[in-house]
Amino acid sequence: VQLQASGGGAVQAGGSLRLSCAASGRTFSSYVMGWFRQAPGKEREFVAAITWRGGNTYYAKYVKGRCTISRDNAENTVYLQMNSLKPEDTAVYYCAVAPETFVYSGYDVDAVDYWGKGTQVTVSS
């Protein structure tokens, strides 16, 4: 499985970014794709996820209302639209693939099967 993330960058507070993650190497129909982030000196934390079947979405409380996760099944690609960005959103963002049971695990980082390389998001005040 390969996960290719893109779309990170540097923006000012209040700005927007759209992250993309293209997946290949297997079928993902019974999986969840999502995003985690890791700021310097902090643990990796869940951001958002979407199920391939049904498109059910899940968000961390600190991004809910500001971020929208979506998918393009035909392209095996997941997007994370991030609006009203804050300096505390600064982190490396990682694309992840996990079995559907992930959503019942409390979005446990250890439940992720596959990780992509991170993409840096920097928000300045």
Side-chain angles (χ1 to χ4, degrees):
V1 173
Q2 289 189 328
L3 302 176
Q4 184 65 47
S6 61
V11 297
Q12 290 190 328
S16 299
L17 283 172
R18 188 193 195 206
L19 306 183
S20 300
C21 178
S24 61
R26 65 164 300 146
T27 57
F28 298 98
S29 59
S30 61
Y31 277 76
V32 173
M33 282 191 69
W35 295 90
F36 282 73
R37 69 186 186 186
Q38 189 166 18
K42 295 189 176 181
E43 294 186 348
R44 194 168 296 191
E45 62 182 9
F46 170 74
V47 176
I50 186 167
T51 59
W52 280 110
R53 290 188 296 198
N56 298 315
T57 57
Y58 306 86
Y59 297 94
K61 59 182 178 180
Y62 32 82
V63 300
K64 197 167 187 177
R66 300 188 295 121
C67 292
T68 302
I69 190 168
S70 60
R71 77 199 192 293
D72 182 334
N73 284 16
E75 297 293 330
N76 271 2
T77 300
V78 171
Y79 305 96
L80 184 68
Q81 177 67 43
M82 303 189 294
N83 300 322
S84 301
L85 284 163
K86 305 175 181 180
E88 50 264 44
D89 293 319
T90 295
V92 177
Y93 283 69
Y94 295 91
C95 182
V97 170
E100 285 184 339
T101 52
F102 166 79
V103 300
Y104 308 113
S105 73
Y107 312 121
D108 187 353
V109 64
D110 292 330
V112 172
D113 282 354
Y114 306 102
W115 292 100
K117 293 183 179 179
T119 183
Q120 177 71 46
V121 171
T122 303
V123 185
S124 58
S125 57

